[in-house]
Amino acid sequence: MKNNSTEVIPFYAAENPRLFEIERRCMDRDGIVLQFLESTLPNGSVLDIGAGNGFVADYVQNNERPIVALEPEPKMIDTRKPLLWTRGVAQRLPFIDNAFTAAYATWAFFLSGIDCKLEGLKEVRRVVTSSGVIVIIENAGDDEFCSLSKDSISDDGKWYTSHGFERTILETSFRFDTLDEARELLSFYFGEEVGSTIKANEIEYKVAAYVGLAGEIE
Ligand SMILES: C[S@@+](CC[C@H](N)C(=O)[O-])C[C@H]1O[C@@H](n2cnc3c(N)ncnc32)[C@H](O)[C@@H]1O
């Protein structure tokens, strides 16, 4: 992979897999987002953009739906998961035109600015067949989880809908095993002054799923 560090958005989990294990275990514990993806994605070859450690890809993959897991950060790639791992960035997908019947990105686009999103959208439309589905999963905002942050950590839904995506809100939660675990992760995200005030193991969390057909989004 060409090394262009400005294209790779740093993600804490590469250096802190223990906290990421808590995040991945406790976020959407009832699998509402996973089940939405599972039922929305068609069979055929599907691309996961910014696959992280392959948690989502491992869930939605089956014999009829092999997942190509694209991830730029080598420390994130978990080769114990039987996925078709590829290194690369959303802005320059290392695939031929129309290579996939669908593609998705879970919490991998909101970290970036508009320019990066536009590049990513152009690329994902190029590699997915025109009748193929594209799904982007992001924080929806307007919930207990996002209200813990003093900065906005939800995406601009209007940006996606103006590009032709349909927005569906999925109501889920972070559900921790213990209060200590909740406080540890939420202190890491939002600061000790916020994390230490948490009094419940479960935090309301709303997720936006943006779904469009490659040939219909702009
Ligand atoms: C918030 S994590 C989400 C990981 C995974 N999708 C999940 O739901 O668990 C964002 C991931 O995007 C990766 N990433 C960073 N910059 C990227 C880029 N330019 N293109 C694609 N992925 C990128 C990070 O390395 C990280 O693994």
Side-chain angles (χ1 to χ4, degrees):
M1 191 182 101
K2 188 174 131 191
N3 185 12
N4 186 340
S5 57
T6 61
E7 288 184 330
V8 178
I9 300 144
F11 182 53
Y12 80 91
E15 304 304 331
N16 199 332
R18 194 183 69 79
L19 275 186
F20 188 54
E21 186 282 320
I22 298 175
E23 174 185 310
R24 264 290 154 227
R25 173 164 46 81
C26 301
M27 179 174 78
D28 187 35
R29 210 176 253 233
D30 294 330
I32 289 164
V33 178
L34 294 174
Q35 287 156 29
F36 178 87
L37 275 170
E38 162 67 29
S39 61
T40 304
L41 294 171
N43 287 341
S45 184
V46 171
L47 174 65
D48 181 332
I49 303 165
N53 69 359
F55 178 91
V56 175
D58 199 34
Y59 182 92
V60 297
Q61 176 165 260
N62 61 44
N63 288 343
E64 282 74 46
R65 186 196 289 150
I67 307 290
V68 173
L70 178 105
E71 171 56 46
E73 170 52 65
K75 288 184 190 162
M76 290 302 298
I77 294 174
D78 179 359
T79 52
R80 290 168 301 182
K81 297 201 174 80
L83 303 163
L84 298 162
W85 286 104
T86 308
R87 281 191 64 202
V89 289
Q91 301 91 325
R92 286 179 295 107
L93 296 174
F95 308 107
I96 59 168
D97 296 359
N98 302 315
F100 299 98
T101 60
Y104 66 89
T106 56
W107 298 281
F109 264 50
F110 80 105
L111 299 164
S112 56
I114 292 293
D115 288 350
C116 185
K117 276 203 186 90
L118 280 172
E119 283 177 89
L121 194 52
K122 191 171 157 205
E123 274 295 84
V124 70
R125 286 178 54 220
R126 179 182 68 74
V127 302
V128 173
T129 57
S130 63
S131 59
V133 176
I134 297 173
V135 186
I136 311 282
I137 299 288
E138 300 293 359
N139 294 344
D142 190 27
D143 61 6
E144 192 182 356
F145 176 73
C146 289
S147 73
L148 294 173
S149 174
K150 59 181 177 352
D151 303 314
S152 169
I153 55 166
S154 58
D155 215 331
D156 177 6
K158 288 200 184 80
W159 188 86
Y160 287 99
T161 50
S162 72
H163 283 268
F165 287 92
E166 268 191 32
R167 185 175 194 251
T168 301
I169 300 297
L170 305 173
E171 303 208 5
T172 182
S173 67
F174 279 77
R175 195 160 68 245
F176 298 94
D177 284 342
T178 64
L179 200 50
D180 282 350
E181 196 173 61
R183 287 181 175 163
E184 182 180 4
L185 189 68
L186 297 170
S187 292
F188 173 73
Y189 288 163
F190 306 122
E192 180 76 30
E193 67 284 8
V194 173
S196 60
T197 65
I198 299 298
K199 295 194 169 46
N201 288 14
E202 186 159 16
I203 307 284
E204 177 204 34
Y205 180 41
K206 291 185 191 168
V207 171
Y210 301 98
V211 180
L213 296 182
E216 293 179 4
I217 57 176
E218 298 164 7

